[in-house]
Amino acid sequence: MKNKHYRTCTLCEAMCGIVVETEGRQVLHIRGDDADPFSRGHVCPKAMALADLHHDEDRLRTPLRREGKRFVPVDWEQAFDEVATRLKRVQREHGRSAVAVYQGNPSVHNLGTMLTSPLFIRSLHTRSRFSATSVDQLPHMLAAYLMFGHQLLLPIPDIDRTDYMLMLGANPAVSNGSLMTAPGAADRLKNIGARGGKVVVLDPRRSETALLSSEHHFIRPGSDALFLLAFLHSLFAEKLVDFGALGGFIDGAERVAALAARYAPARVAEHTGIAPEVIVRLAREFAAAPRAVCYGRVGVCTQEFGALCSWLINVINIATGNLDREGGAMFTEPAIDAIKLGGSLARGHFATYHSRVRKLPEFGGELPVAALAEEIETPGAGQIRALVTSAGNPVLSTPNGARLERALGTLDFMVSIDFYLNETTRHAHIILPPSGPLEHEHYDLAFHLLAVRNTAKYSAATFPREKNARHDFEIFSALTTRMSDKPLERALAHGHAFLLEKLGPGRVIDLLLRTGAYGDRFLPFGRGLSLKALEKSVHGIDLGPLRPCLLARLPADHRKIVLAPEPLVNDLARLDKLVDARVSAREQSLEGARADQLVLIGRRQLRSNNSWLHNSPRMIKGPARCTLQMHPADAAARKLEHGARVELRSRAGMIQVPLEITEALMQGVVSLPHGFGHNREGTAQRIANANAGASINDVTDESRIDLLSGNASFSGVPVAVSAAPHLREATTG
Ligand SMILES: Nc1nc2c(c(=O)[nH]1)N[C@H]1C(S)=C(S)[C@@H](COP(=O)(O)OP(=O)(O)OC[C@H]3O[C@@H](n4cnc5c(=O)[nH]c(N)nc54)[C@H](O)[C@@H]3O)O[C@H]1N2
Ligand SMILES: Nc1nc2c(c(=O)[nH]1)N[C@H]1C(S)=C(S)[C@@H](COP(=O)(O)OP(=O)(O)OC[C@H]3O[C@@H](n4cnc5c(=O)[nH]c(N)nc54)[C@H](O)[C@@H]3O)O[C@H]1N2
Ligand code: SF4
Ligand SMILES: [Mo]
């Protein structure tokens, strides 16, 4: 029998409503749900990948245990027991922190994982915690923590009501928006222009978003903090600063004014590649716009001054009265509010301890993943000897993945919770494959918090999980109960597991919805939200546009916005070194370094989801996309031709890729997508293996990070490019 299921796509942050047409266990088709009040029918090509993923014969369906070079199926209980026994053995012999955890990006798109992985991690009592946060949005969270007193108080651009959007290092036309859940972001951007507003994009590449914008400027990779400081300089110098309604709640305005005074547009022009008069004009336009917002994403986070950028973007919004104001950068009031629920525990902390080898700061209890390899390799007390990965592929997604990969091979024990045998999980001794995205219910705990409207939506499972399958939450519960030794912990773990297994995550959502801001509070005829209400409204419920609410959302002991947090102010010295001093060759990345050197940036693609949709026939079809883009002048200087195979070398490593010559790139900059490199022996993703490409993270550098936050710095890696010598194989394989 044919059926229609309404649900939310969980592949990216956009939360598009989809209609999944099924027959038996087959997915016939997936399309956008026109009746979803938030996404209004929008989907991107990736939605269909959910069907491919569901049917993928390479998707693992039973636990695997490595024996020599082979993986053999084992049953679940045996696998759980062995994982617990071996993790405990490592901890007994080498201490609790000898077991590390890495949680990847899909964790936050998985309700069961969100509800159960924290308890599992607690049961490990380890300081060796890592996640994709430190290759992504960590600087924004740090800025929020230092300025607003809570790591989750992330300002969201009010894209539907703004008149002026200044965007740095983001490409929502492809990514569909990030820390800005806005399904159909490209249309929303076009609407800004259509209502007489302006979108200005700063990007070293004329991106798909730049093509939709009113104005685009090339900016040198890693120089955004200088641009933002000069922009602030202009605001102060021209007396355009107006804090608006938040005026009485700001600490440190004079300090920021004094700091900005040091960065005249002329001083930064050479470094940023943006003329002083352009900076001054943009500042004037921004201040004059009735409603304006400055927004920056991955391109400004994953660079050497990521935290400074995140801070300065907030400062610009605040100094022009655009924070917490309609059309500016706003805060959400979600139906299930992690900020309220998490209490003081969720606020975060910073640098309360440091990594063992490089002394990098923790943030919110996690260490920067750029330090994972060295923590495995370096002997001594606290050395990592075992690793749990869940929903992550750090071999392809973290800087110098090749080094990490070598380190993984030396672990005493590794377990991966993942449904693919890929570049990372092939190193595991045990792989625990969870059910697929269509086989479990869903409520977005993370992305309603980051959405441009307040909305709520619940999706029932499209298919029941197969009999012998386990959901992520069942895997975590099984491991937590086995790892919890202390009586109280054990009781808690068993209670938690029992409740979730008996009731399912949906009941937890019900409780949280009903007691939340829009809840029915369990009143018999209450009209508020409950699971039942959401089950009836299969397309989701719109709870209205964002409203000014920051003052009510600030933690009780943090009544003021800290405009000039000490750690950020102090970090300016590091930036100044680059502007003023003669700097060593490696530090010259802002200036393109040596004449033969180029700097590398990434390039997200519409039919790709970080490293893991390349086994979908529909996603990988078409011309090869793992190409190195280069400006014609840079190609001519190296006598390189379009389509030639080139060798890309950095301090960290070397790869070979085909060259694509294009004027879309700033001179001196080259661009390569991430998530490829499926040529590793022993992986089992046939379509991805046949379209392997090379991994950019074999050349990105774990020693180049944002020193303040510890975030990876993928943008601006110095590289040399030359014609590939014939018959030489890529280094990895
Ligand atoms: N199709 C697709 N969608 C995705 C993903 C995917 O892999 N594929 N991934 C999802 C994830 S996990 C995330 S976090 C989001 C990310 O969402 P976005 O941040 O919007 O995506 P990116 O394409 O990484 O955009 C970064 C932009 O920064 C530019 N850039 C690079 N270096 C610099 C620099 O130094 N300064 C400036 N100003 N710009 C720079 C790049 O050219 C690029 O255009 O996308 C999500 N959506
Ligand atoms: N050079 C460079 N590197 C980058 C970036 C960049 O722009 N440039 N972007 C960075 C960013 S923003 C991010 S978020 C990271 C992503 O980094 P990661 O999260 O480490 O990597 P992914 O490629 O997202 O891998 C996700 C894994 O989760 C598995 N998976 C998918 N769904 C589920 C599920 O429901 N349960 C479980 N258990 N497993 C699941 C997939 O099979 C896959 O193996 O990459 C980062 N790396
Ligand atoms: S934009 Fe994101 S949420 Fe929407 S269909 Fe594409 S992958 Fe799914
Ligand atoms: Mo990400």
Side-chain angles (χ1 to χ4, degrees):
M1 204 177 69
K2 287 188 186 172
N3 262 314
K4 266 188 205 156
H5 305 262
Y6 299 94
R7 61 181 292 127
T8 305
C9 172
T10 46
L11 290 176
C12 87
E13 298 179 41
M15 295 201 302
C16 295
I18 52 174
V19 188
V20 186
E21 291 172 27
T22 63
E23 186 166 6
R25 284 196 75 85
Q26 299 292 308
V27 177
L28 301 176
H29 190 63
I30 297 179
R31 61 180 164 83
D33 179 3
D34 295 330
D36 182 304
F38 191 36
S39 62
R40 290 173 289 192
H42 174 82
V43 277
C44 82
K46 279 192 290 177
M48 269 316 277
L50 283 170
D52 290 348
L53 191 64
H54 178 69
H55 295 298
D56 190 347
E57 286 177 10
D58 290 340
R59 184 157 64 86
L60 305 178
R61 276 145 171 108
T62 156
L64 295 180
R65 180 176 197 280
R66 184 147 57 83
E67 289 177 2
K69 282 199 159 182
R70 278 181 342 121
F71 278 96
V72 293
V74 281
D75 77 58
W76 283 101
E77 294 304 305
Q78 194 188 341
F80 292 145
D81 287 342
E82 178 163 347
V83 170
T85 307
R86 296 193 63 176
L87 291 179
K88 281 183 188 172
R89 189 188 307 155
V90 167
Q91 290 194 317
R92 234 183 1 256
E93 289 171 5
H94 305 287
R96 296 277 209 177
S97 295
V99 170
V101 194
Y102 173 84
Q103 289 196 282
N105 166 280
S107 306
V108 281
H109 296 272
N110 186 308
L111 173 63
T113 301
M114 294 282 279
L115 293 177
T116 52
S117 67
L119 209 58
F120 169 68
I121 288 169
R122 266 227 340 238
S123 77
L124 294 176
H125 298 280
T126 176
R127 280 194 168 182
S128 305
R129 290 175 50 192
F130 304 85
S131 81
T133 291
S134 53
V135 286
D136 190 347
Q137 80 288 355
L138 169 55
H140 280 322
M141 294 175 75
L142 177 61
Y145 171 72
L146 295 172
M147 299 177 79
F148 312 125
H150 199 299
Q151 59 176 346
L152 297 178
L153 275 175
L154 297 163
I156 310 301
D158 189 8
I159 188 172
D160 293 339
R161 289 181 294 183
T162 197
D163 302 302
Y164 197 100
M165 190 160 182
L166 172 64
M167 182 154 29
L168 301 91
N171 189 10
V174 165
S175 70
N176 282 292
S178 181
L179 302 188
M180 175 178 76
T181 289
D187 287 335
R188 292 177 198 257
L189 280 175
K190 283 187 219 154
N191 286 341
I192 298 177
R195 55 177 184 264
K198 200 165 169 180
V199 179
V200 178
V201 172
L202 271 67
D203 197 305
R205 186 176 154 260
R206 195 177 306 114
S207 65
E208 295 72 3
T209 302
L211 293 175
L212 296 178
S213 68
S214 332
E215 190 174 327
H216 163 244
H217 298 276
F218 286 125
I219 183 166
R220 288 243 162 83
S223 71
D224 301 79
L226 290 169
F227 167 84
L228 294 164
L229 283 160
F231 190 97
L232 270 174
H233 177 283
S234 304
L235 291 176
F236 281 106
E238 306 215 346
K239 308 221 173 337
L240 299 172
V241 169
D242 175 2
F243 293 104
L246 291 178
F249 299 90
I250 285 161
D251 252 355
E254 299 76 30
R255 187 89 194 275
V256 166
L259 293 169
R262 300 189 342 224
Y263 300 89
R267 185 176 170 218
V268 309
E270 192 195 326
H271 302 278
T272 58
I274 299 179
E277 57 276 15
V278 171
I279 301 180
V280 174
R281 174 174 59 79
L282 293 178
R284 283 182 191 150
E285 286 178 10
F286 192 93
R291 301 170 298 184
V293 65
C294 181
Y295 165 68
R297 252 324 259 130
V298 163
V300 293
C301 284
T302 57
Q303 55 158 280
E304 284 180 281
F305 300 99
L308 287 182
C309 290
S310 300
W311 166 48
L312 294 166
I313 286 169
N314 288 343
V315 173
I316 286 172
N317 287 325
I318 296 167
T320 51
N322 282 303
L323 189 82
D324 198 35
R325 166 167 99 167
E326 287 174 12
M330 304 192 75
F331 298 86
T332 57
E333 297 166 287
I336 298 180
D337 186 0
I339 292 180
K340 285 207 179 115
L341 285 171
S344 58
L345 274 180
R347 285 176 65 175
H349 38 80
F350 174 53
T352 59
Y353 54 92
H354 292 80
S355 68
R356 190 175 56 102
V357 180
R358 224 189 310 171
K359 311 283 176 248
L360 299 180
E362 63 82 30
F363 181 77
E366 290 179 0
L367 293 167
V369 70
L372 178 54
E374 71 210 24
E375 293 294 333
I376 298 174
E377 290 164 355
T378 312
Q383 182 183 7
I384 292 171
R385 306 291 291 267
L387 175 67
V388 183
T389 71
S390 164
N393 192 1
V395 166
L396 294 192
S397 60
T398 67
N400 200 349
R403 175 178 175 187
L404 177 63
E405 179 157 42
R406 288 190 296 275
L408 295 184
T410 67
L411 289 169
D412 292 345
F413 182 65
M414 175 166 159
V415 52
S416 292
I417 306 172
D418 203 302
F419 40 59
Y420 279 118
L421 175 46
N422 64 19
E423 299 73 20
T424 295
T425 62
R426 76 185 177 111
H427 294 282
H429 296 87
I430 296 213
I431 304 176
L432 303 170
S435 57
L438 298 180
E439 293 163 341
H440 42 76
E441 58 201 315
H442 185 65
Y443 184 93
D444 252 299
L445 288 178
F447 298 102
H448 287 300
L449 185 70
L450 306 172
V452 300
R453 287 183 77 85
N454 291 313
T455 57
K457 181 164 169 177
Y458 171 79
S459 314
T462 306
F463 303 105
R465 69 151 163 71
E466 280 166 41
K467 200 155 168 277
N468 186 40
R470 295 289 182 279
H471 297 305
D472 284 270
F473 82 83
E474 293 173 303
I475 296 173
F476 278 116
S477 288
L479 295 178
T480 310
T481 47
R482 283 168 175 78
M483 289 306 294
S484 303
D485 287 333
K486 300 192 182 108
L488 190 64
E489 241 175 35
R490 250 186 110 69
L492 189 68
H494 279 283
H496 192 261
F498 177 81
L499 279 178
L500 272 171
E501 259 156 52
K502 284 282 164 269
L503 305 175
R507 286 288 136 208
V508 180
I509 291 305
D510 188 43
L511 179 71
L512 299 177
L513 281 171
R514 300 177 82 172
T515 52
Y518 311 83
D520 71 359
R521 320 227 157 251
F522 295 98
L523 297 173
F525 302 103
R527 294 208 304 161
L529 289 186
S530 62
L531 182 64
K532 210 159 145 200
L534 285 186
E535 277 172 335
K536 262 196 224 152
S537 304
V538 285
H539 309 289
I541 292 180
D542 182 45
L543 301 167
L546 304 186
R547 303 178 305 175
C549 63
L550 177 61
L551 295 177
R553 307 268 292 139
L554 288 175
D557 61 352
H558 192 110
R559 298 314 303 162
K560 288 212 164 176
I561 297 168
V562 182
L563 209 60
E566 219 48 49
L568 291 161
V569 171
N570 293 341
D571 202 34
L572 288 173
R574 200 164 55 91
L575 186 66
D576 289 340
K577 264 211 318 219
L578 283 165
V579 192
D580 298 328
R582 308 219 141 262
V583 283
S584 72
R586 201 186 68 71
E587 282 173 325
Q588 279 180 14
S589 53
L590 277 185
E591 304 191 25
R594 295 199 313 268
D596 68 328
Q597 229 162 39
L598 297 159
V599 295
L600 177 65
I601 61 167
R603 190 167 85 244
R604 272 192 162 66
Q605 294 177 330
L606 204 54
R607 289 169 190 275
S608 195
N609 208 24
N610 298 318
S611 76
W612 69 283
L613 288 185
H614 295 150
N615 213 45
S616 152
R618 269 180 278 233
M619 294 301 105
I620 205 82
K621 71 168 191 237
R625 283 190 284 270
C626 187
T627 57
L628 184 75
Q629 292 189 338
M630 183 187 276
H631 187 273
D634 291 323
R638 288 165 182 76
K639 301 195 171 51
L640 295 172
E641 283 181 10
H642 190 83
R645 200 161 176 79
V646 294
E647 188 172 281
L648 184 68
R649 265 171 290 120
S650 72
R651 187 204 68 86
M654 188 271 281
I655 52 172
Q656 292 189 358
V657 278
L659 183 69
E660 184 184 341
I661 298 175
T662 164
E663 286 189 347
L665 231 63
M666 187 179 193
Q667 218 172 310
V669 182
V670 286
S671 162
L672 189 71
H674 75 284
F676 285 91
H678 307 294
N679 53 346
R680 269 85 166 161
E681 212 182 293
T683 57
Q685 291 187 287
R686 281 167 289 180
I687 295 166
N689 296 153
N691 298 273
S695 174
I696 188 176
N697 288 325
D698 287 349
V699 288
T700 58
D701 190 337
E702 79 286 16
S703 70
R704 261 184 107 257
I705 57 171
D706 172 18
L707 269 177
L708 178 60
S709 66
N711 206 47
S713 166
F714 296 124
S715 291
V717 179
V719 291
V721 179
S722 54
H726 283 298
L727 301 176
R728 196 196 285 171
E729 290 291 309
T731 45
T732 52

